[in-house]
Coordinates of all heavy atoms in Angstrom, one line a residue:
M1 N 85.7 83.9 111.8 CA 85.3 84.4 110.4 C 85.5 85.9 110.3 O 85.0 86.7 111.2 CB 83.8 84.1 110.2 CG 83.4 84.3 108.8 SD 84.0 83.0 107.6 CE 82.6 82.5 106.9
K2 N 86.3 86.4 109.3 CA 86.5 87.9 109.1 C 85.5 88.3 108.1 O 85.0 87.5 107.3 CB 87.9 88.1 108.9 CG 88.8 87.8 110.0 CD 90.2 88.4 109.8 CE 91.0 88.1 111.1 NZ 92.3 88.6 111.1
K3 N 85.4 89.6 108.2 CA 84.2 90.0 107.3 C 84.6 91.3 106.5 O 85.2 92.2 107.0 CB 83.1 90.6 108.2 CG 81.8 90.7 107.5 CD 80.7 91.1 108.5 CE 79.5 90.2 108.6 NZ 78.5 90.7 109.5
I4 N 84.4 91.3 105.2 CA 84.6 92.3 104.3 C 83.2 92.9 103.9 O 82.3 92.2 103.6 CB 85.3 92.0 103.0 CG1 86.5 91.3 103.2 CG2 85.5 93.2 102.1 CD1 87.1 90.5 101.9
T5 N 83.0 94.2 104.2 CA 81.8 94.8 103.9 C 81.9 95.7 102.8 O 82.8 96.6 102.7 CB 81.1 95.5 105.1 OG1 82.0 96.5 105.6 CG2 80.7 94.5 106.2
V6 N 81.0 95.6 101.9 CA 81.0 96.5 100.6 C 79.7 97.4 100.7 O 78.6 96.9 100.9 CB 81.1 95.6 99.3 CG1 81.1 96.5 98.1 CG2 82.3 94.8 99.3
C7 N 79.8 98.6 100.5 CA 78.7 99.5 100.5 C 77.7 99.2 99.2 O 78.2 99.1 98.1 CB 79.2 101.0 100.4 SG 77.7 102.0 100.3
I8 N 76.5 99.0 99.5 CA 75.6 98.8 98.3 C 74.6 100.1 98.2 O 73.6 100.0 97.5 CB 74.8 97.6 98.5 CG1 74.1 97.6 100.0 CG2 75.6 96.2 98.5 CD1 73.1 96.5 100.1
G9 N 75.1 101.1 98.6 CA 74.4 102.5 98.5 C 74.4 102.8 97.1 O 75.2 102.4 96.3
S10 N 73.5 103.9 96.6 CA 73.5 104.3 95.3 C 74.7 104.8 94.7 O 75.1 104.5 93.5 CB 72.3 105.1 95.1 OG 72.3 106.2 95.9
A11 N 75.5 105.7 95.4 CA 76.7 106.2 94.9 C 77.6 105.3 94.5 O 78.4 105.3 93.6 CB 77.2 107.3 95.9
C12 N 77.9 104.3 95.5 CA 78.9 103.3 95.3 C 78.3 102.2 94.2 O 79.2 101.7 93.6 CB 79.1 102.5 96.7 SG 80.0 103.6 97.8
H13 N 77.1 102.1 94.2 CA 76.6 101.2 93.1 C 76.9 101.8 91.8 O 77.4 101.1 90.9 CB 75.0 101.2 93.2 CG 74.4 100.3 92.1 ND1 74.5 98.9 92.1 CD2 73.8 100.7 91.0 CE1 73.9 98.6 91.1 NE2 73.5 99.5 90.4
I14 N 76.8 103.1 91.6 CA 77.1 103.7 90.3 C 78.6 103.6 90.1 O 79.0 103.4 88.9 CB 76.7 105.1 90.4 CG1 75.2 105.3 90.2 CG2 77.3 106.0 89.2 CD1 74.5 106.6 90.6
K15 N 79.3 103.6 91.1 CA 80.9 103.5 91.0 C 81.3 102.1 90.7 O 82.5 101.7 90.7 CB 81.6 104.0 92.1 CG 81.4 105.6 92.1 CD 82.3 106.2 93.1 CE 82.3 107.6 93.3 NZ 83.1 108.1 94.5
G16 N 80.5 101.1 90.7 CA 80.7 99.6 90.3 C 80.8 98.7 91.5 O 81.5 97.8 91.5
S17 N 80.0 98.9 92.6 CA 80.1 97.9 93.7 C 79.7 96.5 93.3 O 80.4 95.6 93.9 CB 79.1 98.4 94.8 OG 77.7 98.6 94.4
A18 N 78.9 96.4 92.3 CA 78.5 95.0 92.0 C 79.8 94.3 91.3 O 79.9 93.1 91.7 CB 77.3 95.0 91.0
R19 N 80.5 95.0 90.7 CA 81.7 94.5 90.0 C 82.8 94.2 91.1 O 83.5 93.2 91.0 CB 82.3 95.3 88.9 CG 81.6 95.2 87.6 CD 82.4 95.8 86.6 NE 83.0 97.2 86.8 CZ 82.2 98.4 86.7 NH1 81.1 98.3 86.3 NH2 82.8 99.4 86.9
V20 N 82.9 95.0 92.1 CA 83.9 94.8 93.1 C 83.5 93.5 94.0 O 84.3 92.7 94.2 CB 83.9 96.0 94.1 CG1 84.6 95.7 95.4 CG2 84.5 97.2 93.4
V21 N 82.2 93.4 94.2 CA 81.6 92.2 95.0 C 81.9 91.0 94.2 O 82.4 90.0 94.7 CB 80.0 92.4 95.4 CG1 79.5 91.0 95.7 CG2 79.8 93.4 96.3
E22 N 81.6 91.0 92.9 CA 81.9 89.9 92.0 C 83.4 89.4 92.1 O 83.7 88.3 92.2 CB 81.6 90.2 90.5 CG 80.5 89.5 89.9 CD 80.2 90.1 88.5 OE1 81.1 90.2 87.7 OE2 79.1 90.6 88.4
Q23 N 84.2 90.5 91.9 CA 85.7 90.1 91.9 C 86.1 89.6 93.4 O 86.7 88.5 93.5 CB 86.5 91.5 91.7 CG 86.7 91.9 90.3 CD 87.6 92.9 90.3 OE1 88.8 92.9 90.7 NE2 87.3 94.1 89.5
L24 N 85.5 90.1 94.3 CA 85.9 89.7 95.7 C 85.4 88.3 95.9 O 86.2 87.3 96.6 CB 85.3 90.5 96.9 CG 86.1 91.9 96.9 CD1 85.2 92.8 98.0 CD2 87.5 91.8 97.5
E25 N 84.3 87.9 95.4 CA 83.7 86.5 95.7 C 84.6 85.6 94.9 O 84.8 84.6 95.3 CB 82.2 86.5 94.9 CG 81.1 86.8 96.0 CD 79.7 87.0 95.2 OE1 79.8 86.9 93.9 OE2 78.8 87.2 95.9
K26 N 85.1 85.9 93.7 CA 85.8 85.1 93.0 C 87.1 84.9 93.7 O 87.7 83.7 93.7 CB 86.0 85.6 91.5 CG 86.7 84.7 90.7 CD 86.7 85.1 89.1 CE 87.2 84.1 88.2 NZ 88.6 83.4 88.6
L27 N 87.7 85.9 94.2 CA 89.1 86.0 94.9 C 89.0 85.0 96.0 O 89.9 84.2 96.4 CB 89.5 87.3 95.2 CG 90.1 88.1 94.0 CD1 90.1 89.6 94.4 CD2 91.4 87.6 93.5
I28 N 87.9 85.1 96.8 CA 87.7 84.3 98.0 C 87.7 82.9 97.6 O 88.3 82.0 98.2 CB 86.5 84.6 98.8 CG1 86.6 86.1 99.4 CG2 85.9 83.7 99.8 CD1 85.4 86.7 100.0
E29 N 86.9 82.5 96.5 CA 86.8 81.1 96.1 C 88.2 80.7 95.6 O 88.7 79.5 96.0 CB 85.8 80.9 95.0 CG 84.5 80.8 95.5 CD 83.4 80.6 94.7 OE1 83.7 80.1 93.4 OE2 82.2 80.8 95.0
D30 N 88.9 81.5 94.7 CA 90.1 81.0 94.0 C 91.1 80.8 95.1 O 92.0 80.0 94.9 CB 90.7 81.9 93.2 CG 89.7 82.1 91.8 OD1 88.9 81.2 91.7 OD2 89.9 83.1 91.0
H31 N 91.1 81.5 96.2 CA 92.1 81.3 97.3 C 91.7 80.4 98.3 O 92.5 80.2 99.4 CB 92.6 82.6 97.9 CG 93.4 83.5 96.9 ND1 92.8 84.3 96.0 CD2 94.7 83.6 96.7 CE1 93.7 85.0 95.3 NE2 94.9 84.4 95.6
H32 N 90.6 79.7 98.1 CA 90.1 78.6 99.1 C 90.0 79.2 100.5 O 90.4 78.5 101.5 CB 90.9 77.4 99.0 CG 91.1 76.9 97.7 ND1 90.1 76.3 96.9 CD2 92.3 76.9 96.9 CE1 90.6 76.0 95.6 NE2 91.9 76.4 95.8
V33 N 89.4 80.5 100.7 CA 89.3 80.9 102.1 C 87.8 81.2 102.4 O 87.5 82.0 103.2 CB 90.1 82.2 102.1 CG1 91.6 81.9 102.2 CG2 89.9 83.2 101.1
T34 N 87.0 80.5 101.7 CA 85.6 80.8 102.0 C 85.1 80.5 103.5 O 84.1 81.0 103.8 CB 84.6 79.8 101.1 OG1 85.0 78.5 101.2 CG2 84.5 80.3 99.6
D35 N 85.9 79.7 104.1 CA 85.7 79.5 105.6 C 86.3 80.5 106.6 O 86.2 80.3 107.7 CB 86.2 78.0 105.9 CG 87.7 77.8 105.6 OD1 88.1 78.6 104.7 OD2 88.1 77.0 106.2
K36 N 87.1 81.4 105.9 CA 87.8 82.3 106.7 C 87.2 83.7 106.7 O 87.4 84.6 107.5 CB 89.3 82.3 106.4 CG 89.9 81.0 106.8 CD 91.5 81.2 106.9 CE 92.2 80.0 107.3 NZ 92.8 79.3 106.1
V37 N 86.6 84.1 105.5 CA 86.3 85.5 105.2 C 85.0 85.5 104.7 O 84.7 84.6 103.6 CB 87.4 86.2 104.5 CG1 87.6 85.7 103.2 CG2 86.9 87.7 104.3
E38 N 84.2 86.3 104.9 CA 82.7 86.4 104.4 C 82.6 87.8 103.9 O 83.1 88.8 104.3 CB 81.6 86.0 105.3 CG 81.5 86.9 106.4 CD 80.3 86.5 107.3 OE1 79.5 85.6 106.9 OE2 80.4 87.0 108.6
L39 N 81.7 88.0 102.9 CA 81.2 89.3 102.3 C 79.9 89.7 102.8 O 79.1 88.9 103.0 CB 81.2 89.0 100.8 CG 82.5 89.2 99.9 CD1 82.0 89.1 98.5 CD2 83.0 90.7 100.1
A40 N 79.8 90.9 103.0 CA 78.4 91.4 103.4 C 78.3 92.9 102.8 O 79.2 93.5 102.6 CB 78.4 91.6 104.9
G41 N 77.1 93.1 102.6 CA 76.7 94.5 102.0 C 76.3 95.3 103.2 O 75.7 94.9 104.2
I42 N 76.7 96.7 103.2 CA 76.2 97.6 104.1 C 75.8 98.8 103.3 O 75.9 98.9 102.2 CB 77.3 98.1 105.0 CG1 78.6 98.4 104.3 CG2 77.7 97.2 106.2 CD1 79.5 99.4 104.9
F43 N 74.8 99.4 104.0 CA 74.2 100.7 103.5 C 75.2 101.9 103.6 O 76.2 101.8 104.2 CB 72.9 101.0 104.1 CG 71.8 100.0 103.9 CD1 71.5 99.1 104.8 CD2 71.4 99.7 102.6 CE1 70.5 98.0 104.6 CE2 70.5 98.8 102.3 CZ 70.1 97.9 103.3
C44 N 74.9 102.9 102.8 CA 75.7 104.1 102.8 C 76.2 104.6 104.1 O 75.4 104.7 105.1 CB 74.9 105.2 102.0 SG 75.7 106.7 102.0
T45 N 77.4 104.9 104.2 CA 78.0 105.3 105.4 C 78.3 106.8 105.4 O 79.0 107.3 106.3 CB 79.3 104.4 105.9 OG1 80.2 104.5 104.8 CG2 78.9 103.1 106.1
G46 N 78.0 107.4 104.3 CA 78.3 108.8 104.1 C 79.7 109.1 103.6 O 80.1 110.3 103.7
N47 N 80.3 108.2 103.0 CA 81.7 108.3 102.6 C 81.6 108.2 101.0 O 82.6 107.6 100.4 CB 82.7 107.3 103.1 CG 83.0 107.5 104.5 OD1 83.4 108.6 105.0 ND2 82.6 106.6 105.4
C48 N 80.5 108.7 100.4 CA 80.3 108.2 99.1 C 81.4 108.7 98.1 O 81.8 108.1 97.1 CB 78.9 109.0 98.6 SG 77.5 108.7 99.7
Q49 N 82.1 109.9 98.4 CA 83.0 110.2 97.5 C 84.3 109.3 97.5 O 85.0 109.4 96.6 CB 83.5 111.7 97.8 CG 84.4 111.9 99.1 CD 83.7 111.8 100.5 OE1 82.5 111.5 100.4 NE2 84.4 111.9 101.6
K50 N 84.3 108.4 98.5 CA 85.4 107.4 98.5 C 85.0 106.1 98.0 O 85.7 105.1 98.0 CB 85.9 107.2 99.9 CG 86.5 108.5 100.6 CD 87.4 108.1 101.7 CE 88.0 109.2 102.5 NZ 87.4 109.3 103.9
G51 N 83.9 106.0 97.3 CA 83.3 104.8 96.8 C 84.2 104.1 95.8 O 85.0 104.8 95.2
V52 N 84.2 102.9 95.7 CA 83.3 101.9 96.3 C 83.9 101.7 97.8 O 84.9 101.1 97.9 CB 83.2 100.6 95.6 CG1 82.3 99.6 96.2 CG2 82.7 100.9 94.0
C53 N 83.1 102.1 98.8 CA 83.5 102.0 100.1 C 83.5 100.5 100.7 O 82.5 99.9 100.6 CB 82.6 102.8 101.0 SG 82.8 104.6 100.7
T54 N 84.6 100.0 101.1 CA 84.7 98.8 101.6 C 85.4 98.8 102.8 O 86.4 99.5 103.0 CB 85.6 97.9 100.6 OG1 85.0 98.0 99.2 CG2 85.6 96.4 100.9
T55 N 85.0 98.0 103.8 CA 85.7 97.9 105.2 C 86.2 96.5 105.4 O 85.6 95.6 105.1 CB 84.9 98.5 106.3 OG1 83.6 97.7 106.3 CG2 84.4 99.9 106.2
F56 N 87.3 96.6 106.1 CA 87.9 95.3 106.5 C 88.7 95.6 107.8 O 89.5 96.4 107.8 CB 88.9 94.6 105.5 CG 89.5 93.3 105.9 CD1 88.6 92.3 106.0 CD2 90.7 93.2 106.2 CE1 89.1 91.0 106.4 CE2 91.2 92.0 106.5 CZ 90.5 91.0 106.7
E57 N 88.5 95.0 108.9 CA 89.0 95.1 110.1 C 89.1 96.6 110.6 O 90.1 97.0 111.0 CB 90.5 94.6 110.0 CG 90.7 93.1 109.7 CD 90.9 92.2 110.7 OE1 89.7 91.8 111.2 OE2 91.9 91.9 111.2
G58 N 88.0 97.2 110.5 CA 87.8 98.5 111.0 C 88.5 99.6 110.1 O 88.3 100.8 110.5
K59 N 88.9 99.3 108.9 CA 89.5 100.2 108.1 C 88.8 100.4 106.7 O 88.2 99.4 106.2 CB 91.0 99.8 107.7 CG 92.0 101.0 107.7 CD 93.4 100.5 107.5 CE 94.0 101.5 106.6 NZ 95.2 101.1 105.9
L60 N 88.7 101.7 106.3 CA 87.9 101.9 105.1 C 88.9 102.0 103.9 O 89.9 102.6 103.9 CB 87.2 103.3 105.2 CG 86.4 103.7 104.1 CD1 85.2 103.0 103.8 CD2 86.1 105.3 104.1
Y61 N 88.4 101.3 102.9 CA 89.2 101.2 101.6 C 88.3 101.7 100.5 O 87.0 101.4 100.5 CB 89.7 99.8 101.3 CG 90.6 99.2 102.3 CD1 90.0 98.4 103.4 CD2 91.9 99.4 102.2 CE1 90.9 98.1 104.4 CE2 92.7 98.9 103.2 CZ 92.2 98.2 104.3 OH 93.0 97.7 105.3
S62 N 88.9 102.3 99.5 CA 88.1 102.8 98.4 C 88.5 101.8 97.2 O 89.6 102.0 96.6 CB 88.6 104.2 98.1 OG 88.1 104.7 96.8
L63 N 87.6 101.0 96.8 CA 87.9 99.9 95.8 C 87.3 100.3 94.3 O 86.3 101.1 94.2 CB 87.4 98.6 96.1 CG 88.1 98.1 97.5 CD1 87.7 96.6 97.6 CD2 89.6 98.1 97.5
N64 N 88.0 99.8 93.4 CA 87.4 99.8 92.0 C 88.0 98.6 91.3 O 88.7 97.7 91.8 CB 87.9 101.2 91.4 CG 89.4 101.2 91.3 OD1 90.2 100.5 91.2 ND2 89.9 102.4 91.9
D65 N 87.7 98.5 90.0 CA 88.2 97.4 89.1 C 89.6 97.2 89.2 O 90.0 96.0 89.2 CB 87.8 97.6 87.8 CG 86.3 97.4 87.5 OD1 85.6 96.8 88.3 OD2 85.9 97.8 86.4
Q66 N 90.3 98.2 89.4 CA 91.9 98.1 89.3 C 92.5 97.5 90.6 O 93.5 97.0 90.5 CB 92.5 99.3 88.9 CG 92.5 99.5 87.4 CD 91.2 100.0 86.8 OE1 90.4 100.8 87.3 NE2 90.7 99.2 85.7
N67 N 92.0 98.1 91.6 CA 92.8 97.8 93.0 C 92.1 96.8 93.7 O 92.6 96.4 94.9 CB 92.9 99.1 93.7 CG 91.5 99.7 94.3 OD1 90.6 99.0 94.2 ND2 91.6 100.8 94.8
T68 N 90.9 96.1 93.4 CA 90.4 95.1 94.4 C 91.3 93.8 94.6 O 91.4 93.3 95.6 CB 89.0 94.6 93.6 OG1 88.1 95.8 93.7 CG2 88.3 93.6 94.5
E69 N 91.9 93.5 93.5 CA 92.8 92.2 93.6 C 93.9 92.6 94.6 O 94.3 91.8 95.4 CB 93.3 91.7 92.2 CG 94.0 90.5 92.4 CD 94.2 89.6 91.2 OE1 93.6 90.1 90.1 OE2 94.7 88.6 91.1
D70 N 94.5 93.7 94.4 CA 95.5 94.2 95.3 C 95.1 94.2 96.7 O 95.9 93.8 97.6 CB 95.9 95.6 94.8 CG 97.4 95.6 94.4 OD1 97.9 94.7 93.7 OD2 98.1 96.6 94.8
F71 N 94.0 94.9 96.9 CA 93.5 95.0 98.2 C 93.3 93.6 98.9 O 93.8 93.4 100.0 CB 92.1 95.6 98.2 CG 91.2 95.3 99.4 CD1 91.4 96.0 100.6 CD2 90.1 94.5 99.3 CE1 90.5 95.6 101.7 CE2 89.4 94.1 100.4 CZ 89.5 94.8 101.4
F72 N 92.8 92.6 98.1 CA 92.5 91.3 98.5 C 93.9 90.7 99.1 O 94.0 90.0 100.1 CB 91.8 90.6 97.5 CG 91.3 89.1 98.1 CD1 90.2 89.1 99.0 CD2 92.0 88.0 97.9 CE1 89.8 87.9 99.5 CE2 91.6 86.8 98.5 CZ 90.5 86.8 99.2
T73 N 94.8 90.7 98.2 CA 96.0 89.9 98.4 C 96.9 90.6 99.5 O 97.4 90.0 100.5 CB 96.9 89.8 97.2 OG1 96.9 91.0 96.5 CG2 96.4 88.6 96.3
K74 N 96.9 91.9 99.4 CA 97.8 92.7 100.4 C 97.1 92.8 101.7 O 97.7 92.7 102.8 CB 98.1 94.1 99.9 CG 99.2 94.0 98.8 CD 99.7 95.3 98.5 CE 100.8 95.2 97.2 NZ 100.4 96.3 96.4
E75 N 95.9 93.2 101.8 CA 95.2 93.5 103.1 C 94.5 92.4 103.8 O 94.4 92.3 104.9 CB 94.2 94.8 102.8 CG 94.8 96.0 102.2 CD 95.9 96.7 103.2 OE1 95.6 96.5 104.5 OE2 96.6 97.3 102.6
V76 N 93.8 91.5 102.8 CA 93.0 90.5 103.4 C 93.8 89.2 103.7 O 93.9 88.8 104.7 CB 91.7 90.2 102.6 CG1 90.9 89.1 103.1 CG2 90.9 91.6 102.4
L77 N 94.3 88.7 102.5 CA 95.0 87.4 102.6 C 96.1 87.5 103.7 O 96.2 86.4 104.3 CB 95.7 87.0 101.3 CG 94.6 86.3 100.3 CD1 95.5 85.9 99.0 CD2 94.0 85.2 100.9
S78 N 96.8 88.5 103.8 CA 97.9 88.6 104.7 C 97.5 88.6 106.2 O 98.3 88.2 107.0 CB 98.7 89.8 104.5 OG 98.0 91.0 104.7
R79 N 96.1 88.8 106.4 CA 95.6 88.8 107.7 C 94.7 87.7 108.1 O 94.0 87.8 109.2 CB 95.0 90.2 108.0 CG 95.9 91.4 108.3 CD 95.3 92.5 108.6 NE 95.4 93.7 107.7 CZ 94.7 94.8 107.6 NH1 93.7 94.8 108.3 NH2 95.1 95.7 106.7
L80 N 94.7 86.7 107.3 CA 93.7 85.6 107.6 C 94.5 84.6 108.5 O 95.6 84.4 108.4 CB 93.1 85.0 106.3 CG 92.1 85.9 105.5 CD1 91.7 85.1 104.3 CD2 91.0 86.4 106.4
Ligands
FES101 S1 76.7 105.1 98.6 FE1 78.4 104.0 99.4 S2 79.1 105.3 101.0 FE2 77.5 106.4 100.2

């Protein structure tokens, strides 16, 4: 099981972390990979200016409404 972690700290929350989580949940279901990847929340890691801070396989990504789907298909699906 691989893990995507999304920051749930206040700065990332203001930048829309809840919407990013919602989108990722839906993408995971739509692509039928609930048994391969899981979502977890993490607390602020000090990278607030890069929010919404999301990590996958040790790399930090700055997600928003526009690039979440791209991130999922290019970075996550291709590595499952
Ligand atoms: S609140 Fe997300 S990195 Fe600080």
Side-chain angles (χ1 to χ4, degrees):
M1 190 75 128
K2 296 195 172 177
K3 202 184 235 181
I4 303 173
T5 56
V6 181
C7 176
I8 53 166
S10 53
C12 290
H13 178 77
I14 288 165
K15 289 184 179 178
S17 56
R19 285 196 307 278
V20 167
V21 167
E22 244 172 58
Q23 280 191 51
L24 288 172
E25 273 172 350
K26 190 170 182 315
L27 287 161
I28 289 170
E29 272 181 27
D30 289 353
H31 289 89
H32 310 290
V33 288
T34 45
D35 56 335
K36 294 203 179 97
V37 62
E38 66 179 344
L39 270 181
I42 44 159
F43 293 109
C44 178
T45 55
N47 294 295
C48 310
Q49 77 284 358
K50 295 201 184 116
V52 175
C53 291
T54 304
T55 54
F56 182 66
E57 303 268 87
K59 217 176 142 195
L60 177 70
Y61 298 89
S62 171
L63 297 191
N64 55 48
D65 281 350
Q66 274 74 49
N67 67 7
T68 297
E69 187 160 0
D70 241 40
F71 155 78
F72 188 79
T73 45
K74 287 195 189 129
E75 306 291 336
V76 181
L77 275 186
S78 65
R79 283 190 237 161
L80 291 182

